[in-house]
Amino acid sequence: MNTMIERLREGRAAPVKRALRDIFSWRFALLIFSALIVVYPLLWVVSLAFSGQQSLTLVQLPQDASLGQQLLALIPLPEQWTLDNFRAVLTEQPFLRWIGNSLVVALATTLVGLTLSCSAAYAFSRFRFTGRQRGLTLFLISQMFPAVLMLIPLYVIVVQWLGLGNSWLGLILVYAITALPFCVWMLKGYFDTLPYEIEESALLEGASRWTIFIRIILPLARPAIAVTGLFAFMTAWNEFILASIFMDDESLYTVPVGLRFFVSDYASEWGYFAAGSILVSLPVILLFLSLQRYLVAGLSAGAVKG
């Protein structure tokens, strides 16, 4: 009887021992250190946003501050928490207009990018035509160079040839072209994994290629389409260099270009900049969370025939 009780106690203590061993291991220490490196800049942004001030100095140290006080000052915690920076950004600055501009550009870029990439990826995956392999190679090579290298030719084509400078249409075309190679390769790889027998069955039943693409392939490819749409949206939402060059009218500025005016050579409103950065990240976070649920549903639905 005593032996059984001791075994039960040992069985209950074993998970605790394993947990303590993992906590005091070097892997756990490395994980904590890496997490601190990532979280520390974010903590600065949050503290500046809720501090209500524009200076980077959150804590005022006395001249004879001790070493402990100096180390505590490295932790960016404001003396008081307030929403004044958020209130000023939303009411005293044209931030809502910038948000609206970014939403229009990002949503239109996502729509155009998905439309072009879905059809192109399906053609590269299912059809054999002249220049197919060369086109895929060119798409892949274009991803090896930074997008800044295309700045001059894009400016010449969009602004000088097409006359679409300082317009949403020109910026949407630029973003869609920039995101297209990655989107095509991602969707093409997913289309390759879909069994062709499903399409053959639909062809035997009299369905056209367009019907198969719209009613069979696209529903099965919802996970890849969701990820591709998120990438296209984030490409247009976070981009700064192209938007600052192609846009001259302040009323058409996107959020990244607008946030630039909070920190300049003449004035540095770091509190406004931090508050605006947090507000800008909220739509992306919400979109990611909603698409994450959609991805899980898409992976388990519509993949079984009959």
Side-chain angles (χ1 to χ4, degrees):
M1 187 67 180
N2 293 331
T3 305
M4 294 180 61
I5 294 176
E6 291 178 359
R7 290 180 179 178
L8 290 175
R9 289 178 179 176
E10 292 178 357
R12 294 176 181 176
V16 178
K17 292 180 180 180
R18 286 196 298 268
L20 292 176
R21 186 172 61 252
D22 293 338
I23 289 175
F24 290 102
S25 64
W26 66 270
R27 296 182 181 88
F28 188 78
L30 181 61
L31 180 62
I32 294 296
F33 180 73
S34 303
L36 290 177
I37 293 177
V38 175
V39 171
Y40 187 73
L42 299 178
L43 183 60
W44 264 104
V45 174
V46 174
S47 299
L48 285 172
F50 287 94
S51 65
Q53 62 185 33
Q54 308 306 319
S55 175
L56 291 176
T57 305
L58 297 178
V59 179
Q60 300 294 334
L61 291 176
Q63 295 182 354
D64 57 345
S66 62
L67 180 61
Q69 291 176 328
Q70 294 177 4
L71 292 177
L72 288 176
L74 295 177
I75 303 176
L77 294 178
E79 296 179 354
Q80 60 177 0
W81 296 81
T82 177
L83 297 175
D84 291 343
N85 287 333
F86 293 93
R87 190 179 300 109
V89 167
L90 293 175
T91 58
E92 300 176 6
Q93 307 292 335
F95 187 80
L96 294 178
R97 180 188 301 172
W98 299 338
I99 286 286
N101 296 342
S102 292
L103 281 176
V104 172
V105 173
L107 292 176
T109 300
T110 304
L111 180 61
V112 174
L114 284 179
T115 302
L116 296 177
S117 59
C118 286
S119 55
Y122 182 72
F124 280 118
S125 176
R126 288 295 189 258
F127 302 112
R128 300 295 180 266
F129 51 88
T130 304
R132 172 182 175 274
Q133 193 62 38
R134 188 172 301 175
L136 288 173
T137 304
L138 290 176
F139 277 159
L140 184 61
I141 292 176
S142 65
Q143 296 299 294
M144 299 180 182
F145 303 96
V148 181
L149 293 180
M150 298 188 297
L151 183 58
I152 295 178
L154 285 176
Y155 184 85
V156 172
I157 294 173
V158 174
V159 177
Q160 297 184 2
W161 293 0
L162 300 179
L164 296 177
N166 196 32
S167 66
W168 286 343
L169 180 58
L171 196 60
I172 291 169
L173 290 178
V174 170
Y175 287 159
I177 292 172
T178 304
L180 189 62
F182 176 82
C183 296
V184 169
W185 263 103
M186 176 177 287
L187 289 172
K188 190 262 181 187
Y190 194 88
F191 288 153
D192 290 340
T193 63
L194 299 179
Y196 188 69
E197 289 76 9
I198 299 178
E199 299 178 50
E200 289 181 340
S201 300
L203 288 174
L204 292 176
E205 294 176 1
S208 63
R209 280 288 183 182
W210 179 254
T211 302
I212 294 173
F213 176 67
I214 295 296
R215 306 187 65 175
I216 297 178
I217 299 300
L218 292 184
L220 291 177
R222 282 181 295 180
I225 293 175
V227 174
T228 305
L230 180 61
F231 171 79
F233 182 88
M234 293 179 62
T235 299
W237 184 264
N238 298 325
E239 203 281 326
F240 167 75
I241 297 178
L242 295 176
S244 62
I245 292 176
F246 284 92
M247 290 296 183
D248 298 328
D249 190 355
E250 185 176 352
S251 62
L252 299 177
Y253 282 165
T254 56
V255 173
V257 181
L259 289 178
R260 176 191 60 179
F261 294 98
F262 291 147
V263 180
S264 62
D265 296 334
Y266 305 100
S268 296
E269 298 171 329
W270 291 106
Y272 294 163
F273 184 84
S277 300
I278 293 177
L279 293 174
V280 168
S281 64
L282 293 180
V284 178
I285 294 174
L286 295 176
L287 181 62
F288 178 80
L289 292 177
S290 61
L291 286 180
Q292 189 179 29
R293 294 192 296 268
Y294 182 75
L295 285 175
V296 174
L299 286 171
S300 58
V304 180
K305 183 179 179 181

